[in-house]
Amino acid sequence: MSSPTNMPSTSAPSSPKSGKPRKPAWPGWVRAVLAGAAAVVVLALVVLLARWLRTLGPMQDFLTTYPGQAELPASTPLGLPAWLGWQHFLNAFLILLIVRSGWLVRTTARPKANWTRNNKALIKTKNPPKKISLDLWFHLSLDALWVLNGIVFFIMLFATGQWLRIVPTGWNVIPNALSAALQYASLDWPLESGWSNYNALQLLSYFAVVFIAAPLAIATGLRMSNVWPQHTARLNRAYTIEMARALHYPTMLFFVLFIVIHVVLVFTTGALRNLNHMYAARDDAGWLGFWMFAGSLALMSASWFLARPLFLRPVATLTGKVTR
């Protein structure tokens, strides 16, 4: 028979510091409901504050002076070309799978499969290649395709003059962006004319995505990858892998937040016309852009389902060895 000191305790676990029993944590669904309710309250307060501000005389004068849309240079092209629609689809397709695979890399403790590059193929290195998870292989492969797509996008953007639509060319874009933000917050939204000129807040958002967030995602992802040079001590001290990790995840969250807001605005500010702008390269309220969007959504949904080891393994074996 065990002595009392060896018998298991039936009391609640105690805090190592205070000795008091720990309070049971709330279930996840309760925390989610409370967080959602708090978000609704905060948004309601923001709307009420914005609507009150719009009743003030100085604010009305500000909105009249800065309606929310900055003037573009005279050489800015009109409309959205077809190549931009294809770029938009490819970018959305790749970003969706990059976020999915990146989340799996971050949260999966024991990957279901691993991949080792074939060192006798096109890419040959002196040191033997390292084994990585199949999720990481998929993530890096998607990153490479996304970067290639981005290079094509940048070339076309500057070759066709479309960069003028998303790069600020004057300081008046800042007060116009504040004006647009106030109009959005008050639920009396600014005039939408994306075919000819984005409002200033959209312009700054697209600029941040294309010229800040995308390069930051590439630079931080490259620092964490195996292709980063390990023997450059001075460079590695200046740009540490901890710094890259600290920036890479928030950058992904920024992309997710941008996508959510972007999709909501597309469907609440004239869905058919917006979808025609984005997919059909036309400025009308027909249904062609909607059906093209529906097809792209079906393709992205199928890719989300197929992005699992059962279907990734045959593709990964073309460039390396897949093991458990």
Side-chain angles (χ1 to χ4, degrees), residues 21-298:
R22 292 178 180 175
K23 294 182 180 180
W26 285 344
W29 69 268
V30 174
R31 295 197 298 269
V33 170
L34 292 176
V40 170
V41 171
V42 170
L43 289 175
L45 292 176
V46 169
V47 171
L48 291 175
L49 176 61
R51 296 186 73 86
W52 173 74
L53 287 174
R54 294 193 64 166
T55 64
L56 303 179
M59 190 59 66
Q60 293 176 2
D61 294 339
F62 174 79
L63 293 175
T64 301
T65 305
Y66 301 103
Q69 196 173 65
E71 186 176 353
L72 297 177
S75 58
T76 304
L78 177 65
L80 301 172
W83 69 263
L84 196 58
W86 282 103
Q87 280 283 324
H88 184 275
F89 161 69
L90 290 173
N91 191 56
F93 176 80
L94 293 171
I95 282 288
L96 176 72
L97 296 178
I98 285 173
V99 170
R100 181 184 188 276
S101 59
W103 181 255
L104 289 176
V105 170
R106 184 179 178 86
T107 59
T108 302
R110 293 185 177 181
K112 296 180 180 179
N114 295 292
W115 175 84
T116 307
R117 178 175 54 83
N118 179 10
N119 206 29
K120 297 180 180 180
L122 181 62
I123 301 176
K124 299 178 182 179
T125 56
K126 181 179 179 180
N127 297 321
K130 296 180 180 180
K131 181 171 66 174
I132 62 176
S133 70
L134 191 62
D135 291 328
L136 182 55
W137 166 83
F138 188 46
H139 187 69
L140 295 176
S141 300
L142 292 168
D143 286 342
L145 292 175
W146 184 60
V147 170
L148 178 61
N149 185 62
I151 293 173
V152 174
F153 173 76
F154 269 88
I155 293 174
M156 295 298 297
L157 191 69
F158 287 97
T160 61
Q162 286 289 328
W163 67 273
L164 291 167
R165 294 169 52 88
I166 62 171
V167 175
T169 55
W171 288 107
N172 66 338
V173 69
I174 296 177
N176 274 293
L178 294 175
S179 172
L182 179 63
Q183 294 175 64
Y184 279 124
S186 66
L187 301 184
D188 186 6
W189 292 355
L191 178 66
E192 293 291 333
S193 57
W195 185 255
S196 56
N197 188 0
Y198 297 123
N199 69 57
L201 191 59
Q202 288 176 311
L203 187 152
L204 290 179
S205 299
Y206 294 145
F207 175 81
V209 168
V210 174
F211 295 99
I212 300 176
L216 186 60
I218 295 170
T220 53
L222 184 63
R223 178 63 181 90
M224 295 186 296
S225 71
N226 292 331
V227 302
W228 182 264
Q230 301 299 322
H231 304 293
T232 53
R234 184 177 298 179
L235 177 61
N236 289 338
R237 283 196 301 268
Y239 183 28
T240 65
I241 192 169
E242 290 78 14
M243 183 189 302
R245 286 172 179 162
L247 293 172
H248 196 71
Y249 182 65
T251 303
M252 184 200 75
L253 294 181
F254 170 79
F255 275 112
V256 172
L257 179 63
F258 171 81
I259 291 170
V260 171
I261 296 175
H262 180 62
V263 171
V264 169
L265 291 179
V266 164
F267 282 93
T268 55
T269 59
L272 292 180
R273 186 174 294 275
N274 288 334
L275 290 174
N276 273 329
H277 292 174
M278 297 161 59
Y279 288 92
R282 52 195 290 181
D283 185 29
D284 59 48
W287 285 85
L288 178 60
F290 171 82
W291 291 117
M292 294 176 71
F293 165 74
S296 70
L297 198 61

